[in-house]
Amino acid sequence: MEDSAHYVRTIEWDMMDKTKFFPLSMLSSFCVRASLYPLTLIKTRLQVQKHGQMYKGMIDAACKIYQSEGASGLYRGFWVSSVQIVSGVMYIATYEGVRHILTQHNASASTKSLLGGGCASVVGQTVIVPFDILSQHLMVLGVAESKYNKNKAVLNPLGIFLDPRKSKLRLTLDIAQAIYRTDGIRGFYRGYIASLCTYVPNSALWWAFYHLYQEELEKLFPPDTSHLMIQCVAGTLGGFTTTLITNPMDTMRARLQVHRTDTMLKTFQVLWDEDGIRMLSKGLSARLVQSVCFSFSIILGYETIKRISIRQEYKELVRW
């Protein structure tokens, strides 16, 4: 094999055919989110429950949700959450665009990753927060249902009774109307600052760790090791690291959006009163599993699609 210096380590924005990249990115994003959505739902329910009143952990939650609500219970709110596919494309376009601009100004690799990931998250969260709030209300609807007869109307965190026998569209519209009546347009951006405080550092750190781990792993593995495999391992390690750092903020964000506490400080106080130091690890097991699986799958799809979408003149410079 030729010396690794002859190969392109990172496929940049101007090297790709966008007519291939965007459609394939949307398809990859949908497949990954669909396969991992049950972990997102379990994580959310663990984070918003009080005093461990329903679930003792990730496995216990999965079993109880499946027993009481069936397989469909693990996909509550998925069709609303799937709008993230659009925000995902905007996220990647922003990330790659910022990297491209910073490359022209000779920024370092770590700076490009950190700023690109942060800017991408701001754009993504601005688009997705309203849909995230709706999907979270649909996720926790099953908690109330499991306490009562499934055919009876249940009280959701907004203080209204929702009939689970209604269609998914009708339930979603009822929740949206309740949010608007209670808080107006601002209600759809409840927890927006908390989301930014969670996901902007998470995104920035994830990309920074991804490239850092990638550089270090390339030094450890033999020169002929698959570059795609190294990238997948680096992405997985990056996801694990950032999840440990940002889990407390993610718990506060979920509680703020679903239980409608007024401020991040008040949310922190409520969580501390309920769980003490354990609030730092609330929902952590499910989030770690989700993050590791998500990071591996996203990088596998993302870097594979970049290789498929690369322009002909660069194909010989890319190592699989």
Side-chain angles (χ1 to χ4, degrees):
M1 178 174 285
E2 297 182 45
D3 193 284
S4 59
H6 295 155
Y7 290 90
V8 173
R9 291 179 62 252
T10 302
I11 300 172
E12 300 293 354
W13 189 236
D14 56 352
M15 297 180 182
M16 293 183 289
D17 180 351
K18 311 305 186 297
T19 59
K20 292 181 180 178
F21 179 74
F22 283 120
L24 289 173
S25 290
M26 293 181 72
L27 178 61
S28 174
S29 179
F30 178 81
C31 292
V32 170
R33 292 182 187 283
S35 61
L36 299 180
Y37 187 79
L39 286 172
T40 303
L41 182 140
I42 291 169
K43 177 206 72 172
T44 299
R45 290 201 182 179
L46 288 172
Q47 288 176 330
V48 301
Q49 72 173 347
K50 298 178 180 179
H51 305 292
Q53 60 187 9
M54 286 293 296
Y55 312 117
K56 296 177 182 178
M58 182 179 67
I59 302 300
D60 181 60
C63 293
K64 286 181 177 177
I65 292 169
Y66 181 78
Q67 290 170 358
S68 62
E69 303 169 50
S72 62
L74 293 168
Y75 279 88
R76 280 187 182 276
F78 173 71
W79 76 277
V80 176
S81 180
S82 63
V83 175
Q84 290 187 20
I85 296 169
V86 177
S87 70
V89 172
M90 296 174 68
Y91 175 95
I92 287 298
T94 303
Y95 172 73
E96 293 289 354
V98 170
R99 279 182 57 86
H100 180 65
I101 293 170
L102 293 175
T103 299
Q104 295 176 329
H105 289 82
N106 299 316
S108 66
S110 58
T111 300
K112 290 190 291 185
S113 300
L114 199 67
L115 293 180
C119 292
S121 185
V122 171
V123 172
Q125 287 304 304
T126 301
V127 175
I128 203 58
V129 163
F131 299 97
D132 207 19
I133 289 173
L134 287 172
S135 67
Q136 286 181 89
H137 277 289
L138 287 168
M139 287 179 193
V140 299
L141 178 60
V143 175
E145 280 183 31
S146 62
K147 296 179 183 178
Y148 308 102
N149 187 302
K150 284 188 179 182
N151 294 321
K152 292 183 180 179
V154 295
L155 186 69
N156 87 324
L158 290 167
I160 63 169
F161 283 93
L162 298 172
D163 189 344
R165 292 170 297 184
K166 292 182 179 179
S167 67
K168 293 177 181 177
L169 176 60
R170 187 66 257 174
L171 279 173
T172 304
L173 291 175
D174 285 349
I175 291 172
Q177 289 171 357
I179 291 172
Y180 184 76
R181 283 198 306 268
T182 305
D183 297 313
I185 294 296
R186 290 178 58 191
F188 293 100
Y189 278 89
R190 177 175 287 276
Y192 176 66
I193 299 301
S195 290
L196 291 183
C197 290
T198 300
Y199 290 119
V200 171
N202 187 87
S203 176
L205 289 172
W206 188 89
W207 285 107
F209 279 124
Y210 167 58
H211 286 283
L212 175 63
Y213 282 130
Q214 191 174 306
E215 290 175 2
E216 295 304 316
L217 288 170
E218 285 177 347
K219 298 174 185 177
L220 295 175
F221 285 94
D224 59 348
T225 303
S226 165
H227 193 213
L228 181 60
M229 188 196 80
I230 290 175
Q231 289 174 320
C232 289
V233 174
T236 303
L237 292 173
F240 186 90
T241 306
T242 53
T243 297
L244 289 175
I245 295 171
T246 61
N247 190 68
M249 276 303 303
D250 190 54
T251 300
M252 289 173 61
R253 173 201 59 81
R255 181 65 70 90
L256 186 65
Q257 291 177 334
V258 175
H259 287 180
R260 306 176 67 250
T261 48
D262 296 329
T263 64
M264 285 190 286
L265 179 59
K266 184 175 180 180
T267 305
F268 175 84
Q269 291 173 336
V270 169
L271 285 168
W272 184 264
D273 290 341
E274 289 177 3
D275 298 295
I277 195 67
R278 289 187 302 169
M279 66 162 284
L280 300 177
S281 61
K282 201 173 180 71
L284 180 60
S285 58
R287 191 164 180 247
L288 278 174
V289 173
Q290 178 210 31
S291 179
V292 166
C293 294
F294 184 81
S295 297
F296 178 86
S297 303
I298 283 292
I299 287 299
L300 178 62
Y302 173 65
E303 294 293 353
T304 299
I305 289 167
K306 288 177 76 173
R307 285 164 168 77
I308 294 172
S309 304
I310 198 166
R311 292 178 178 176
Q312 190 63 39
E313 60 264 35
Y314 297 109
K315 283 189 180 294
E316 297 300 321
L317 299 177
V318 175
R319 193 178 80 193
W320 283 80

